[in-house]
């Protein structure tokens, strides 16, 4: 059973960073867990500091991820199928970490699932880098949109002989009439200016046609 979030396991682990990896084993007949030293550290404990239990493990899952992880664990205990999950925990120090967990069941001589074995991998630094990349891309896109809108304001001011407030109001009305985001209308206006080769009369006519054509299509 694979349980993935917006973070892809393979993609996250392929970023080239050395991720802390801990092993675990869960005996289903006794309910006991065994953790390697690194698994303790991943959860914010010193080796042997606590006795790992299912209750302890679930208690440290992020509240928003706890039910989902519990479901994955129950399914694995029942079927023994290989599983994977990326989820957040709150470690013993109160710090949020993101773990990639993989495992599978082992069966006894009767074919019943008797234990789960697998690995905890702390991918927190990799996830932080992914978030930084996404945030940077979003900021750059936002800056580009703002630049286009400002350029479009200048075009409207020249074409309609209006002030800055009037230019923005025209763009806002055009956005409402066309049911398009302001950034898309701005890009069209900038495109009209480029096609008009500086002829503001041509641009003004094209702007009027743009609104008229869109209004006609909306009323059909």
């Amino acid at each position: 059973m694979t349980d993935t979030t917006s973070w892809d396991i393979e993609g996250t682990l392929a970023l080239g960073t050395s991720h802390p990896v801990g092993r675990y084993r869960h005996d289903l007949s006794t309910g006991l867990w065994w953790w390697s030293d690194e698994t303790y550290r991943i959860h914010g404990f010193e080796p042997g500091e606590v006795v790992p239990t299912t209750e302890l493990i679930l208690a440290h899952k992020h509240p928003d991820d706890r039910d989902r992880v519990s479901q994955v664990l129950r399914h694995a205990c029942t079927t023994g199928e290989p599983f994977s999950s990326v989820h957040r925990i709150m470690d013993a120090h109160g710090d949020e970490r993101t773990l990639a967990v993989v495992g599978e069941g082992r069966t006894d001589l009767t074919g019943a699932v008797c234990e789960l074995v697998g690995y905890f991998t702390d991918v927190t630094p990799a996830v932080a880098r992914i978030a930084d990349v996404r945030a940077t891309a979003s900021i750059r896109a936002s800056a580009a949109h703002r630049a286009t809108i400002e350029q479009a304001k200048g075009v409207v001011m020249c074409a309609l002989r209006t002030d800055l407030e009037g230019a923005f109001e025209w763009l806002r009305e055009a956005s409402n009439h066309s049911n398009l985001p302001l950034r898309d209308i701005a890009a069209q206006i900038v495109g009209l200016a480029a096609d008009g080769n500086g002829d503001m009369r041509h641009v003004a006519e094209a702007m009027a046609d743009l609104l008229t054509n869109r209004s006609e299509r909306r009323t059909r």
Side-chain angles (χ1 to χ4, degrees), residues 13 26 28 37 66 79 108 122 151 159 209 219:
L13 296 179
H26 179 34
L28 300 186
D37 289 351
R66 187 175 296 134
T79 66
D108 58 21
D122 187 350
Q151 190 175 356
D209 290 342
T219 55

Side-chain angles (χ1 to χ4, degrees), residues 121-214:
T121 303
D122 187 350
V123 296
T124 305
V127 169
R129 284 201 305 280
I130 293 173
D132 287 343
V133 169
R134 290 180 177 177
T136 299
S138 177
I139 291 171
R140 288 176 177 171
S142 178
H145 293 155
R146 286 198 301 271
T148 301
I149 292 171
E150 292 304 316
Q151 190 175 356
K153 287 180 185 178
V155 172
V156 175
M157 288 173 65
C158 292
L160 301 185
R161 299 176 183 269
T162 185
D163 58 13
L164 185 61
E165 183 177 349
F168 181 76
E169 181 63 21
W170 188 94
L171 289 170
R172 189 182 66 80
E173 288 296 328
S175 175
N176 290 337
H177 278 297
S178 62
N179 199 29
L180 288 175
L182 184 62
R183 62 177 181 272
D184 291 347
I185 288 295
Q188 290 189 34
I189 298 305
V190 172
L192 289 175
D195 293 339
N197 294 319
D199 184 347
M200 287 296 106
R201 181 181 300 176
H202 170 78
V203 173
E205 292 173 352
M207 289 167 55
D209 290 342
L210 180 66
L211 279 185
T212 300
N213 292 338
R214 290 194 179 278

Side-chain angles (χ1 to χ4, degrees), residues 19-39:
H19 304 284
V21 177
R23 293 176 293 136
Y24 69 86
R25 184 170 61 250
H26 179 34
D27 188 327
L28 300 186
S29 64
T30 63
L32 297 177
W33 288 79
W34 172 85
W35 281 359
S36 68
D37 289 351
E38 194 58 49
T39 298

Side-chain angles (χ1 to χ4, degrees), residues 24-35 52-54 57 73 77 104-108 112-118:
Y24 69 86
R25 184 170 61 250
H26 179 34
D27 188 327
L28 300 186
S29 64
T30 63
L32 297 177
W33 288 79
W34 172 85
W35 281 359
T53 64
T54 301
I57 291 171
L73 182 60
C77 291
E104 63 180 352
R106 289 179 177 172
T107 58
D108 58 21
V113 182
C114 61
E115 66 177 3
L116 299 180
V117 295

Side-chain angles (χ1 to χ4, degrees), residues 92-110:
H93 305 293
D95 296 326
E96 181 179 311
R97 298 190 184 187
T98 301
L99 306 186
V101 183
V102 296
E104 63 180 352
R106 289 179 177 172
T107 58
D108 58 21
L109 295 177
T110 69

Side-chain angles (χ1 to χ4, degrees), residues 1-5 7-10 13 24 68-69 71-73 75-76 80-87 99-105 117-121:
M1 178 182 182
T2 298
D3 171 50
T4 57
T5 64
W7 306 109
D8 174 71
I9 295 177
E10 290 80 4
L13 296 179
Y24 69 86
R68 176 168 55 84
V69 175
Q71 181 180 359
V72 171
L73 182 60
H75 184 84
E81 296 175 355
F83 64 92
S84 60
S85 173
V86 176
H87 57 263
L99 306 186
V101 183
V102 296
E104 63 180 352
V117 295
Y119 300 89
F120 288 101
T121 303

